[in-house]
């Protein structure tokens, strides 16, 4: 029996980067945002969570899509990092509506990962890829070089390869896993080169007589929340460590080879990061800038990615996580009033003119529903590994409020304002983040033991 999935044959993609490419990419993005600002139509009238989810999946994985993206205005550009931060459960069987939905998801994930691997082969490892005509793409970095682009590519590849291990009856899942294994074999050398290049870019950072390795000791590296343009951030360095771990797990690079480059094994490298960023008893968001009050020095993105930096395997690691989580949970400035909806930070950081006109201030007084979902998932990780029931009620509260916001706003939002409204700047009307929705369902099932939605295929 054939599932109907059709994986594309290879075609030559061309990638460009540099000053000219950046100029053209910026112009295309400006047009895209302005078009979204003035031309976007009002959303569908659904309010029931099941109807919203069906509509979202039809939009996110439509057969006409060429790449997996969140939603307008970002659908006009491709963000490799999103496969680690926002799309880890695209192939979770509990989130798939029917066999046709499974085929569309597997097809689009395969197309997206192939394109990103072609970019790596062309040595274009950037935060953003902007389409510029048939099989032509512009690689551009917004604000700074990436720390998590390779992580996103590995995440997409890992999800493909593990598709048939998730207990699904859909034939598309086994076909997707086979395609993932073929991609890994074909592009393994290119990925190894890129991972070792990332290792060679780490810089020594001296603190209190000890030397640490950071990816951003002298210049910023971007991560999913990158508009602060700070150096020495926890999340960027956690992303780099996770990239190395996943590279070893996939058999792309040998740990001993990384050890020779780093001068320490991955376990020691991680302990160093925890010691450096956690010496105050909690995980400090950034070492750049003056030390403030504890709640002013932490940010919600410390949760990192699914199966990423935090594995909760050691008591000292769990203690640091719990201390940081407790600061966020207890501080009223981290919450939309009356909810368990957490904001990215307690204090408004640098808010430049571009943030007011075109782009959201991701590190500011706004809420990312997807980061809230990851926070809930890490809280459940803590309870599981500590054998406690410390945070389950908080995790459930987070998910309940995200469901409420989704129904109120007519879809799963990319950002929610400090007042609990749709996030809006002049040119940014707020994206409905269709492709992030499955992750919410996956964590909901984990928190409650039963699925939020059920289908009969």
């Amino acid at each position: 029996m054939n599932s109907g999935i059709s994986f594309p044959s290879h075609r030559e993609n061309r990638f460009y980067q540099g000053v000219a490419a950046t100029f053209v990419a910026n112009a295309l993005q400006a047009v895209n945002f302005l078009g979204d600002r003035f031309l976007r139509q009002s959303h569908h009238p659904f309010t029931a969570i099941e109807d919203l989810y069906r509509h979202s999946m039809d939009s996110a994985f439509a057969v006409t899509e060429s790449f997996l993206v969140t939603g307008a205005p970002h659908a006009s550009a491709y963000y490799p990092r999103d496969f680690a931060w926002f799309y880890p459960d695209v192939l979770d069987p509990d989130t798939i509506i029917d066999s046709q939905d499974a085929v569309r998801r597997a097809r689009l994930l395969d197309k997206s990962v192939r394109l990103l691997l072609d970019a790596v082969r062309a040595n274009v490892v950037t935060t953003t890829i902007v389409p510029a005509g048939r099989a032509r793409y512009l690689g551009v970095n917004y604000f700074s070089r990436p720390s998590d682009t390779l992580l996103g590519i590995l995440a997409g590849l890992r999800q493909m390869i593990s598709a048939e291990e998730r207990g699904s009856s859909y034939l598309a899942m086994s076909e997707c896993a086979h395609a993932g294994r073929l991609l890994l074999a074909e592009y393994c050398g290119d990925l190894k080169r890129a991972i070792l290049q990332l290792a060679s870019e780490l810089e020594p950072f001296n603190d209190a007589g000890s030397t640490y390795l950071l990816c951003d000791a002298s210049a910023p590296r971007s991560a999913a929340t990158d508009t602060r343009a700070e150096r020495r951030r926890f999340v960027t360095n956690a992303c780099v460590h996770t990239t190395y771990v996943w590279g070893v797990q996939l058999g792309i690079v040998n740990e001993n080879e990384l050890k020779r480059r780093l001068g320490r094994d991955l376990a020691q490298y991680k302990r160093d990061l925890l010691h450096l960023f956690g010496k105050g008893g909690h995980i400090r968001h950034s070492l750049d800038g003056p030390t403030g009050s504890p709640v002013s020095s932490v940010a919600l993105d410390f949760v990192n990615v699914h199966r990423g930096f935090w594995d909760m395997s050691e008591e000292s690691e769990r203690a640091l996580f719990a201390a940081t989580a407790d600061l966020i949970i207890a501080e009223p400035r981290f919450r939309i009033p009356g909810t368990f909806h957490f904001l990215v930070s307690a204090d408004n950081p640098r808010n430049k003119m571009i943030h007011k006109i075109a782009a959201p201030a991701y590190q500011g007084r706004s809420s990312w529903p997807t980061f809230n979902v990851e926070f809930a998932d890490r809280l459940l990780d803590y309870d599981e590994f500590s054998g406690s029931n410390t945070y389950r009620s908080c995790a459930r509260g987070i998910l309940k409020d995200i469901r409420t916001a989704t129904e109120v706003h007519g879809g799963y939002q990319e950002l929610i304002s400090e007042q609990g409204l749709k996030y809006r700047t002049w040119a940014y009307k707020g994206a409905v983040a269709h492709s992030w929705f499955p992750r919410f369902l996956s964590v909901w099932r984990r928190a409650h033991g039963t699925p939020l939605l059920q289908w009969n295929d």
Side-chain angles (χ1 to χ4, degrees):
M1 177 180 176
N2 191 294
S3 70
I5 187 171
S6 176
F7 293 108
S9 59
H10 183 79
R11 68 175 182 178
E12 183 180 2
N13 293 311
R14 294 190 178 182
F15 297 86
Y16 306 88
Q17 59 182 336
V19 175
T22 298
F23 176 82
V24 174
N26 285 336
L28 290 172
Q29 287 290 76
V31 171
N32 291 331
F33 270 81
L34 289 174
D36 177 74
R37 170 67 176 79
F38 292 110
L39 300 178
R40 191 199 300 194
Q41 300 298 313
S42 59
H43 293 302
H44 51 82
F46 305 138
T47 56
I49 193 76
E50 181 173 353
D51 293 335
L52 289 167
Y53 187 75
R54 285 181 179 274
H55 177 82
S56 292
M57 295 306 95
D58 288 343
S59 299
F61 305 106
V63 294
T64 55
E65 294 293 339
S66 58
F67 196 89
L68 182 58
V69 295
T70 55
H74 300 309
S76 53
Y78 307 153
Y79 303 91
R81 64 176 50 150
D82 287 359
F83 291 87
W85 283 98
F86 309 133
Y87 310 146
D89 285 323
V90 167
L91 301 183
D92 179 357
D94 289 329
T95 75
I96 295 174
I97 297 173
D98 53 31
S99 58
Q100 184 181 22
D101 187 26
V103 169
R104 292 184 309 180
R105 295 191 193 197
R107 175 198 60 84
L108 192 55
L109 182 61
D110 176 82
K111 288 174 65 175
S112 302
V113 172
R114 285 174 186 267
L115 177 65
L116 297 181
L117 289 170
D118 276 348
V120 172
R121 177 164 287 178
N123 200 31
V124 176
V125 181
T126 54
T127 67
T128 310
I129 296 175
V130 179
R134 183 172 178 81
R136 300 293 187 269
Y137 301 92
L138 308 174
V140 59
N141 290 324
Y142 286 121
F143 304 109
S144 57
R145 292 184 302 155
S147 69
D148 52 0
T149 287
L150 282 175
L151 182 68
I153 296 169
L154 295 183
L157 195 56
R158 275 163 48 104
Q159 186 169 183
M160 290 181 67
I161 292 170
S162 64
E164 62 186 357
E165 300 172 4
R166 307 190 73 162
S168 171
S169 61
Y170 299 118
L171 180 58
M173 298 299 102
S174 60
E175 292 184 351
C176 189
H178 178 65
R181 289 190 290 268
L182 293 178
L183 288 175
L184 177 59
E186 180 180 354
Y187 290 92
C188 186
D190 303 292
L191 289 168
K192 179 178 180 179
R193 170 181 51 79
I195 290 172
L196 292 178
Q197 174 65 30
L198 182 61
S200 70
E201 293 171 356
L202 297 186
E203 306 168 276
F205 176 73
N206 297 314
D207 181 78
S210 298
T211 301
Y212 302 88
L213 291 176
L214 299 180
C215 70
D216 54 357
S218 60
R221 296 291 289 252
S222 77
T225 53
D226 59 9
T227 55
R228 267 181 155 169
E230 294 169 313
R231 299 175 300 160
R232 306 167 192 168
R233 293 175 62 201
F234 172 75
V235 67
T236 53
N237 288 281
C239 284
V240 169
H241 174 271
T242 306
T243 300
Y244 300 149
V245 171
W246 288 3
V248 170
Q249 291 174 352
L250 286 168
I252 295 169
V253 63
N254 186 280
E255 185 170 1
N256 287 330
E257 193 167 7
L258 280 173
K259 182 177 180 179
R260 288 194 295 271
R261 296 256 180 155
L262 303 176
R264 64 205 73 186
D265 61 29
L266 291 180
Q268 183 59 51
Y269 174 40
K270 178 176 180 176
R271 285 193 293 269
D272 289 346
L273 293 177
L274 287 173
H275 181 266
L276 179 62
F277 287 93
K279 59 185 179 181
H282 60 275
I283 294 297
R284 187 175 172 186
H285 163 70
S286 173
L287 306 178
D288 196 14
T291 301
S293 65
V295 294
S296 297
S297 67
V298 301
L300 188 62
D301 63 2
F302 90 101
V303 295
N304 198 250
V305 300
H306 177 53
R307 296 182 181 177
F309 185 85
W310 297 100
D311 60 26
M312 308 290 178
S313 59
E314 297 184 5
E315 184 178 354
S316 58
E317 179 179 325
R318 293 195 297 271
L320 272 176
F321 174 87
T324 313
D326 289 344
L327 283 173
I328 292 172
I329 292 170
E331 172 55 54
R333 287 178 295 166
F334 263 104
R335 295 205 202 180
I336 294 173
T339 73
F340 277 94
H341 231 131
F342 292 93
L343 306 171
V344 175
S345 62
D347 299 303
N348 201 21
R350 305 163 189 155
N351 203 354
K352 300 179 181 178
M353 186 61 69
I354 189 175
H355 301 144
K356 299 177 181 179
I357 297 175
Y362 287 143
Q363 282 282 10
R365 302 287 298 158
S366 57
S367 171
W368 287 52
T370 191
F371 279 6
N372 276 261
V373 169
E374 291 308 315
F375 189 31
D377 201 45
R378 293 301 85 70
L379 295 176
L380 296 172
D381 285 342
Y382 178 91
D383 281 4
E384 178 181 333
F385 283 91
S386 65
S388 68
N389 197 29
T390 305
Y391 293 117
R392 181 170 296 274
S393 63
C394 181
R396 288 179 173 177
I398 290 170
L399 299 171
K400 174 181 175 292
D401 285 334
I402 290 174
R403 173 183 177 170
T404 298
T406 300
E407 293 178 323
V408 167
H409 297 310
Y412 193 99
Q413 299 295 299
E414 179 181 6
L415 287 171
I416 297 176
S417 76
E418 184 177 1
Q419 293 77 33
L421 306 175
K422 285 186 178 182
Y423 191 100
R424 294 178 184 273
T425 60
W426 182 83
Y428 184 98
K429 297 173 69 174
V432 177
H434 300 309
S435 304
W436 303 358
F437 214 155
R439 178 67 177 144
F440 167 70
L441 292 192
S442 297
V443 180
W444 179 286
R445 174 167 187 143
R446 184 184 184 192
H448 291 86
T450 56
L452 175 61
L453 302 174
Q454 298 188 57
W455 303 273
N456 294 315
D457 184 13

